[in-house]
Amino acid sequence: MRGTRGALGLSLRSARPGWLWGAAAALLGLGALLGAWRWAGGLRRAAGRRRRLQRVGTVLSIFVYPVKSCRGIPVREAQVTPMGLRSGELRDRFWLVTKEDGHMVTARQEPRLVLISVSSEDGHLTLEAPEMKKLCVPVKLPRKNRVVNCRVFGLDIQGRDCGDEVAQWITTFLNSEPYRLVHFEPSMVPRKSKDIINLFRTTDEVAYPDCSPVLVISEASLEDLNAKLEKKVKIQNFRPNIFVTDCSAFEEDTWEDVVIGDVEMKGTVCCARCILTTVNPDTGLLDRKEPLETLKSYRLCDPSERHIYKSSPLFGRYFAVDKTGKIQVGDPVYKMVQ
C-alpha cells in the first residue's frame, strides 16, 4: 500500500505545477484558520447570549384553568404550548360554558362558576361543586357529539358539545337558564389574538382565553395592592398562569422577552381588569367594587395607551410563546437584555 501511495503521489506531483501545490496548501491553511475563527466566534456569541440573560424572579406557582372561569388547578410543572399551558390531558381554557346559542358564559355573568373544581382522571375531565355529585366527562368526545359555533368576545370559534348530562349538571348548580359545555379540539381553528388586540402578532392564537396564551403576575404586585385594601384579596382573584416571586411590584410590566426553563416568551400587553376580579374565589359572590376601585385609583394606563386599555386598570402582563417547553415551580425567570 505504501508503494502504491508513493507511486500515486509521484504521479500526481509530476502532473501538476509546483505553484498549484503551494496554492492548495495556502487554501488549506486559510480554511483551518477560518474554521477556528468561526468556532471561537460561536463561543463568543454563545457567551454573549448567556450574558444577555438577567435573572428577574422565580416561579412561585403555576396554574392551569381547563374550563374558562372555573377554579384553577395549581401544578408543579406544565408544558407551555403556542396556545397556552398544558398539564397532562388538561389544557388551559380549552373548555367553555355557553348559552344554548353559543355565546360564552363566564364568572362575569355567573360568579359561582369559580366554585366548580376541575381535575382529570383516566381520560376524563372531572367536575365537582358544593352539594353536587362529582361528574366525569370524556376528554376525547364521541364524534357523534355535534360541533357548535361559539362566540367569545365578539369572535367566532367552534367547540364540540360535551353532552346533555354535563349541561344539566352545570345548569342545576348555577340555577340558571340552560347552559352547555363545549371543548376546543386541535383540528378546530383558533382565534387570532391580533383580532382582539392589534398589538399581538399574526402568529399568536388562543382557544377560549380572553386574548393571550399566558398571563404572568408577581407576588410583589399582589402585596402592593393588598397594602392598599381593607379586605385582602388572593392571587385567585386574578387568575394568572405564572405567579412570580423575587421581583419588585409591577416589574413584570417591563419584561419584553423572558426565558423560564426551556421556554421563551414575548411580552405583549398588560392585562386590563374588569369586574371578574371582584368575584370572591371562595364564596362565588360578586362584589363589583373591590379590588377594582382601588386598582383604578393608581393603575390606569398612560393617556397615550387609552385606545388600548380604555378606563380599565392594569394588573399583570400577557405573554405570547416563542419557544415551547416545560416550566416548573422554582424555575428562575430571566429577561433578555441588550
Side-chain angles (χ1 to χ4, degrees), residues 82-119:
M83 291 177 59
L85 271 59
R86 178 175 194 158
S87 177
E89 294 183 292
L90 298 182
R91 300 192 64 171
D92 191 72
R93 297 169 174 98
F94 263 49
W95 283 263
L96 175 71
V97 178
T98 70
K99 296 183 178 182
E100 289 199 315
D101 63 3
H103 279 79
M104 73 171 183
V105 177
T106 73
R108 299 167 182 85
Q109 301 86 32
E110 295 287 353
R112 295 180 77 243
L113 275 172
V114 303
L115 301 181
I116 298 177
S117 298
V118 183
S119 60

Side-chain angles (χ1 to χ4, degrees), residues 42-238:
L43 288 181
R44 284 194 299 271
R45 286 192 296 274
R49 281 195 296 271
R50 285 194 293 271
R51 281 196 300 270
R52 290 199 299 269
L53 290 182
Q54 176 184 331
R55 183 166 182 170
V56 291
T58 307
V59 176
L60 180 62
S61 306
I62 302 170
F63 299 97
V64 178
Y65 307 86
V67 183
K68 188 175 180 71
S69 278
C70 291
R71 186 164 287 170
I73 304 171
V75 296
R76 293 292 304 173
E77 62 180 43
Q79 293 294 320
V80 180
T81 78
M83 291 177 59
L85 271 59
R86 178 175 194 158
S87 177
E89 294 183 292
L90 298 182
R91 300 192 64 171
D92 191 72
R93 297 169 174 98
F94 263 49
W95 283 263
L96 175 71
V97 178
T98 70
K99 296 183 178 182
E100 289 199 315
D101 63 3
H103 279 79
M104 73 171 183
V105 177
T106 73
R108 299 167 182 85
Q109 301 86 32
E110 295 287 353
R112 295 180 77 243
L113 275 172
V114 303
L115 301 181
I116 298 177
S117 298
V118 183
S119 60
S120 65
E121 293 178 10
D122 302 323
H124 287 75
L125 177 78
T126 301
L127 304 181
E128 297 181 78
E131 300 179 7
M132 296 291 293
K133 184 179 178 181
K134 182 168 73 172
L135 181 70
C136 296
V137 182
V139 170
K140 294 183 179 178
L141 296 164
R143 306 309 292 177
K144 66 180 180 180
N145 285 32
R146 65 192 179 104
V147 173
V148 297
N149 293 319
C150 305
R151 194 82 170 164
V152 178
F153 290 112
L155 296 179
D156 292 326
I157 186 170
Q158 290 182 320
R160 190 176 296 277
D161 190 272
C162 294
D164 293 337
E165 186 180 14
V166 67
Q168 184 59 51
W169 189 95
I170 292 171
T171 301
T172 299
F173 174 65
L174 297 176
N175 190 25
S176 63
E177 64 179 275
Y179 290 150
R180 310 293 300 184
L181 183 69
V182 299
H183 179 220
F184 182 86
E185 297 178 343
S187 60
M188 295 174 178
V189 179
R191 293 154 56 236
K192 293 281 188 182
S193 297
K194 192 173 182 66
D195 292 339
I196 308 161
I197 299 177
N198 194 44
L199 295 178
F200 284 92
R201 302 167 297 188
T202 55
T203 53
D204 300 330
E205 298 175 329
V206 289
Y208 304 134
D210 286 9
C211 64
S212 177
V214 180
L215 175 62
V216 176
I217 297 176
S218 74
E219 182 182 38
S221 299
L222 179 65
E223 290 174 347
D224 184 272
L225 171 61
N226 273 329
K228 298 172 173 63
L229 290 172
E230 184 176 333
K231 185 178 180 181
K232 311 303 181 190
V233 292
K234 299 180 176 181
I235 194 57
Q236 285 77 10
N237 285 72
F238 303 99

